[in-house]
Amino acid sequence: MTKSFASSSTQTGSIRPSSPPIGPLIAVRTLGCKVNQVESEGILATLVGQGARLAEEHLAALILINTCTVTGEADRKARKAVRHALSQPQAPLVLVTGCLATIDAGAL
């Protein structure tokens, strides 16, 4: 594995590691069962490992919504979460995954 270094023109002429890139702000909304919770945590860990930072929805550039479709109420909550995410003033990218997204993507 190679490390990235940026040269700096300090008085001593030393080389210091470059700052890690600042990634996008992301928010995660999980609806439904424990499987969805585990999946969301895994996705979040991957994104944070790549530099993303967790934030509130109103600040996020990406909002991940992990949906459920066990009941009609779960469907309603998922659609409401998607509408809410899409209405954010910073126009985030909204990524919808989970059961409802798989079974009835057209509803979203």
Side-chain angles (χ1 to χ4, degrees):
M1 175 186 272
T2 13
K3 290 187 179 179
S4 172
F5 289 94
S7 111
S8 88
S9 55
T10 61
Q11 292 177 344
T12 61
S14 64
I15 297 176
R16 64 178 178 201
S18 63
S19 300
I22 296 175
L25 296 175
I26 60 170
V28 178
R29 162 94 44 105
T30 302
L31 305 166
C33 65
K34 293 197 183 286
V35 170
N36 282 9
Q37 289 289 338
V38 170
E39 288 174 346
S40 291
E41 289 170 10
I43 294 167
L44 179 60
T46 299
L47 293 172
V48 168
Q50 295 177 357
R53 297 171 292 142
L54 193 58
E56 298 292 324
E57 280 190 21
H58 69 279
L59 299 172
L62 167 70
I63 300 175
L64 170 72
I65 303 171
N66 196 348
T67 63
C68 176
T69 189
V70 172
T71 65
E73 179 69 11
D75 287 0
R76 187 189 67 72
K77 286 181 180 180
R79 288 190 305 274
K80 182 178 178 181
V82 171
R83 282 192 308 273
H84 181 264
L86 290 171
S87 72
Q88 295 301 311
Q90 78 285 9
L93 174 63
V94 178
L95 175 62
V96 183
T97 187
C99 300
L100 184 58
T102 301
I103 293 171
D104 193 6
L108 302 173

